[in-house]
Amino acid sequence: MSLLQAHNLGVTYPGQASPALQHVSLQLGEGDLVVALGPSGCGKSTLLGVLAGFIAPSEGSVSFDGQPVVAPGVERAVVFQHDALLPWLNVADNVAFGLKLQGVDKARRQQVVADTLQLVGLADVGRKYTWQLSGGMRQRVGIARAIASQSKILLMDEPFGALDAFTREQMQQLLLSVWQHAGRGIFLITHDIEEALFLATELVLMSPGPGRIVQRLRPGFSQRYRDGEDVRAIKSDPAFIALREQLLRSLFAQRQAEAA
Amino acid sequence: MSANEHILTRVPDTLPASQRARRPLSPTQWSLISIGSITLLWWAITASSLVPALFLPPPGDVLAKFGTLVSSGYMDATLQQHLWASLQRIVLALLAAVAVGIPLGIAIGTYPRVRHLLDPLIEFYRPLPPLAYLPLIVIWFGIGELSKVLLIFLAILAPVLIATAHGVGSVSLVRQQAALSLGASRGQLLRYVILPGALPDILTGIRIGLGAGWSTLVAAELIAATRGLGFMIQSAAQFLVTDVVVLGIIVIALVAFALELGLRRLQRRLTPWHGQTH
């Protein structure tokens, strides 16, 4: 059953001729991990903004659990690339922030925070401040914060875009194990083809001018990871590489068509 | 071709003697050097009788005057009483400026309409020298404490307002959006995200404002004062009691510097994240 439904979305920013987003529809269910992949300017950030309720669509509509989405809401937690944590709170208080806003009592908050930090592998840094952590650890805190809140789905805005390649791969695996344990639907945007292929249950390829979906596929590699297969084995699988090349070609073809 | 040819630089096994003995000076030591040099220069000029004591009293005389002022006072009040009178005015004005400036600054930083409305007023009075509108304040509010505090208040208000508005306006949008998606109401957003985010700027505004407040003190105490460091300096100037003038200047500088150091420490304690790279 799909929780989040976007129907025929269109966004045109004031003063811009070409729509940032056009005719975009998608659905996100409880166990889904939908990844929007595309180059800069393809409208993926706009799409995430609309799903989060930060941007009002010019056309179409978004609904969550049958209710129209018109504003940010606690059931749709957003994880950003960086700078979204609160530096004046320590890690535990950052993770507890969403629950505190909802008025959840302290004992319950502490329990959830301990469980969530354990889940993202940060059990022993709860008292540190976010600016004392590495980039990868800060992103774990961001993910923990979104999970600890009473969210039903996570919207992730290039969450690993600022990390080095090594940390990024670790974080991808962490995300899959968190996704498995927490059982939330995830919508993630990225410009990293490997990341999209590895994570997605459904991958939507987007293209700019106007921002739209040009291809949808179901790679299924994340399921293989969940079934216990090694990450390097998956990423070096000929099927994986073939899909990667096909996507890359399709992206280049789009770009050339545009330039012509 | 020797094997070491590709090594561009080598660390010498021993440092040259000139570098070995020298230890870098601490910031405080550098500051002490400048203070010491100025005092020495001051002493040298007065000791050589180049300048009459009427124009520049020797450091020793000023120090002696300090003792006299503390025990028997000047113009019917001891130095402590003058200092206390001035401090009361400054602190009262500061509290009022914070109480008015922070909420108003938040409103300016949050609502463009409020900014457009108030911006011309603030920019109108901000560059005016306090002495220029002093007569108006006296005509409107009389010669009591209110006028004195009001003048200092106006000097502190502008920096606090502007810094708060700037701080509120520059709180990361992503942080605010993240908080909204975690279910924050507008009030919670202000309390838990915007205000703490603006705090480093607000504290900087208060520091700058306090400096402006001190520099308005003498003008404020032109208004029929009988006590206060500014009043003390002015009366001493009228009778050419130069050592009291110099002493008053030094006391103001020291007290203002002590407050500034206290605020800097407070800023480091309250906002340890400020200036950390993310």
Side-chain angles (χ1 to χ4, degrees):
Chain A
M1 191 204 92
S2 59
L3 283 171
L4 185 73
Q5 291 196 312
H7 181 66
N8 199 26
L9 291 178
V11 172
T12 307
Y13 290 116
Q16 300 221 322
S18 174
L21 210 59
Q22 202 174 48
H23 304 312
V24 168
S25 298
L26 58 83
Q27 302 194 334
L28 182 72
E30 243 162 55
D32 293 346
L33 208 168
V34 177
V35 177
L37 169 70
S40 316
C42 73
K44 58 189 192 299
S45 292
T46 302
L47 175 56
L48 187 132
V50 173
L51 297 181
F54 301 144
I55 300 170
S58 332
E59 281 167 55
S61 61
V62 180
S63 67
F64 186 90
D65 222 354
Q67 301 296 312
V69 164
V70 288
V74 68
E75 70 286 344
R76 289 163 283 127
V78 182
V79 178
F80 290 94
Q81 188 171 1
H82 45 57
D83 203 27
L85 297 171
L86 304 178
W88 45 88
L89 300 180
N90 65 26
V91 167
D93 289 340
N94 261 291
V95 174
F97 187 56
L99 295 176
K100 189 178 177 186
L101 294 176
Q102 301 310 308
V104 173
D105 68 85
K106 201 173 175 188
R108 171 92 189 111
R109 286 207 304 262
Q110 281 172 339
Q111 184 57 48
V112 174
V113 167
D115 291 349
T116 318
L117 284 179
Q118 183 81 37
L119 183 63
V120 298
L122 289 179
D124 46 355
V125 301
R127 304 194 70 112
K128 285 205 175 180
Y129 284 85
T130 54
W131 39 271
Q132 297 170 318
L133 305 179
S134 68
M137 284 166 104
R138 278 207 293 276
Q139 277 316 78
R140 290 178 197 223
V141 178
I143 293 170
R145 180 172 75 169
I147 292 170
S149 77
Q150 291 161 333
S151 59
K152 300 247 170 45
I153 59 169
L154 307 189
L155 304 173
M156 308 185 79
D157 189 353
E158 302 206 33
F160 314 137
L163 304 177
D164 62 82
F166 182 71
T167 311
R168 178 186 293 216
E169 184 152 302
Q170 287 182 319
M171 292 298 293
Q172 291 165 1
Q173 295 172 64
L174 177 92
L175 182 67
L176 287 184
S177 76
V178 164
W179 173 56
Q180 191 164 8
H181 280 93
R184 320 260 165 110
I186 296 177
F187 174 77
L188 182 146
I189 66 175
T190 182
H191 55 244
D192 182 324
I193 298 179
E194 274 203 6
E195 180 167 286
L197 271 178
F198 179 59
L199 295 177
T201 56
E202 183 184 356
L203 191 160
V204 297
L205 183 66
M206 296 184 69
S207 180
R212 64 200 187 280
I213 295 175
V214 290
Q215 198 181 340
R216 293 172 190 262
L217 50 143
R218 296 187 165 272
F221 297 107
S222 49
Q223 188 56 49
R224 281 165 61 178
Y225 180 79
R226 286 171 78 158
D227 294 340
E229 199 171 335
D230 175 63
V231 55
R232 291 309 334 158
I234 295 173
K235 288 191 176 178
S236 56
D237 186 314
F240 188 92
I241 294 169
L243 262 179
R244 190 185 70 197
E245 293 308 308
Q246 187 222 310
L247 282 172
L248 204 52
R249 258 183 221 135
S250 147
L251 278 167
F252 276 123
Q254 291 288 343
R255 185 149 290 191
Q256 269 170 357
E258 237 173 276
Chain B
M1 193 192 247
S2 106
N4 284 339
E5 209 168 2
H6 60 278
I7 297 176
L8 292 177
T9 57
R10 299 198 111 183
V11 180
D13 296 333
T14 51
L15 287 166
S18 61
Q19 287 180 25
R20 221 181 308 159
R22 202 182 293 157
R23 207 179 274 167
L25 292 175
S26 74
T28 318
Q29 283 171 320
W30 283 111
S31 303
L32 286 176
I33 287 177
S34 70
I35 294 170
S37 315
I38 291 282
T39 316
L40 202 68
L41 188 68
W42 175 16
W43 174 81
I45 290 172
T46 51
S48 66
S49 310
L50 273 174
V51 180
L54 179 66
F55 294 128
L56 185 65
D61 287 13
V62 174
L63 199 64
K65 199 71 181 186
F66 176 75
T68 323
L69 252 62
V70 168
S71 53
S72 51
Y74 183 78
M75 287 282 163
D76 302 325
T78 62
L79 184 63
Q80 301 92 297
Q81 288 170 323
H82 285 303
L83 174 62
W84 178 236
S86 292
L87 263 181
Q88 273 183 309
R89 289 173 189 135
I90 292 265
V91 169
L92 212 60
L94 177 68
L95 291 179
V98 165
V100 174
I102 292 180
L104 212 54
I106 291 171
I108 293 172
T110 313
Y111 305 106
R113 280 182 198 159
V114 179
R115 187 176 70 237
H116 302 324
L117 216 61
L118 293 182
D119 200 42
L121 298 182
I122 296 166
E123 291 308 323
F124 174 77
Y125 100 80
R126 194 168 69 98
L128 293 178
L131 279 173
Y133 52 84
L134 177 64
L136 268 186
I137 288 188
V138 172
I139 292 168
W140 291 343
F141 300 100
I143 56 170
E145 275 303 297
L146 175 65
S147 293
K148 300 179 185 69
V149 175
L150 192 62
L151 199 70
I152 304 173
F153 162 79
L154 286 171
I156 305 179
L157 180 66
V160 172
L161 257 180
I162 292 169
T164 306
H166 175 262
V168 166
S170 55
V171 169
S172 143
L173 179 66
V174 159
R175 244 174 229 162
Q176 298 187 47
Q177 289 183 330
L180 288 174
S181 88
L182 292 168
S185 64
R186 280 199 72 85
Q188 286 175 323
L189 191 68
L190 182 68
R191 181 171 162 202
Y192 294 118
V193 181
I194 294 176
L195 262 186
L199 192 58
D201 283 315
I202 294 176
L203 288 173
T204 301
I206 290 175
R207 276 170 56 194
I208 296 171
L210 204 55
W214 279 108
S215 61
T216 318
L217 184 71
V218 176
E221 291 178 351
L222 275 173
I223 313 169
T226 54
R227 269 184 196 177
L229 291 173
F231 159 74
M232 185 184 90
I233 291 173
Q234 287 165 52
S235 339
Q238 278 163 7
F239 300 105
L240 291 179
V241 192
T242 321
D243 46 5
V244 172
V245 173
V246 173
L247 185 67
I249 290 172
I250 293 176
V251 170
I252 288 181
L254 287 180
V255 173
F257 187 52
L259 284 179
E260 163 73 11
L261 284 184
L263 276 175
R264 278 191 210 171
R265 177 171 286 190
L266 188 72
Q267 195 166 23
R268 272 198 302 273
R269 269 193 77 129
L270 288 179
T271 62
W273 69 88
H274 189 50
Q276 300 282 339
T277 48
H278 280 258

